[in-house]
Amino acid sequence: AVMRGPAGWPDLRLRVTGLLQVARKAPEVHVRVHACGSGAPRSGYETMQRILKAWTPSALLCVNDATAEGAMRALRERGIRVPQDLSVVGFDDTEGAEYCCPPLTTVRQPRTEMGRRGAAELLRPLSTSRAGGYGSNVTVLDGDLVVRGATCPPT
């Protein structure tokens, strides 16, 4: 299962698009994408409750670490063990990710490089901007998977 976050967040749309491209290459993987309100823990909690009414996935990829934290609470309340029954992966590697119970597996973003490139884009003179102005180009940077206790191999 994938919690995709609010429809208006373009970087989240790109994350889900990339995930689905990879999943198509593995016929044994079945992905269901679920809308997740605000990207906050409460939203993850409520979305996980809705998912569990319909089905129980073997893994969950969340739009960010906050929604993963909320989802893990909903799983605990239902008696679903992470990672024995369901693996959970967040995105961002926030400070609290390693303090979740169990510690959250997550994707660490290259924040320093993101800041550097964002600042360079903002400081670039308007006269040299590409067609469409600021924000018209997309740069994809690699993240790092940080494996912690919230995931295990499928059984």
Side-chain angles (χ1 to χ4, degrees):
V2 175
M3 287 188 193
R4 72 161 166 78
W9 293 0
D11 59 326
L12 305 181
R13 186 182 68 248
L14 292 171
R15 291 177 194 175
V16 172
T17 300
L19 171 76
L20 293 174
Q21 287 173 350
V22 171
R24 281 190 210 103
K25 296 176 185 176
E28 71 280 5
V29 175
H30 303 282
V31 177
R32 293 186 193 177
V33 179
H34 301 270
C36 181
S38 68
R42 179 184 189 101
S43 184
Y45 176 82
E46 292 169 351
T47 302
M48 192 73 242
Q49 288 180 320
R50 283 195 309 276
I51 291 170
L52 292 172
K53 287 180 183 176
W55 68 302
T56 303
S58 60
L60 173 67
L61 176 62
C62 296
V63 68
N64 59 27
D65 292 347
T67 56
E69 291 170 21
M72 290 198 313
R73 177 177 171 188
L75 292 166
R76 260 190 319 276
E77 288 178 3
R78 287 282 301 265
I80 298 171
R81 301 169 302 157
V82 175
Q84 298 90 337
D85 302 326
L86 192 150
S87 290
V88 178
V89 178
F91 201 100
D92 291 329
D93 194 25
T94 56
E95 185 177 323
E98 67 182 302
Y99 298 103
C100 288
C101 187
L104 183 61
T105 297
T106 186
V107 177
R108 178 181 297 137
Q109 296 191 77
R111 288 188 186 99
T112 302
E113 183 62 18
M114 290 166 64
R116 185 176 297 123
R117 289 187 186 206
E121 183 71 13
L122 287 171
L123 296 173
R124 188 169 46 92
L126 287 172
S127 62
T128 63
S129 69
R130 291 179 277 274
Y134 287 99
S136 63
N137 60 328
V138 174
T139 301
V140 178
L141 301 174
D142 291 331
D144 295 311
L145 180 63
V146 181
V147 179
R148 295 192 179 109
T151 53
C152 68
T155 55

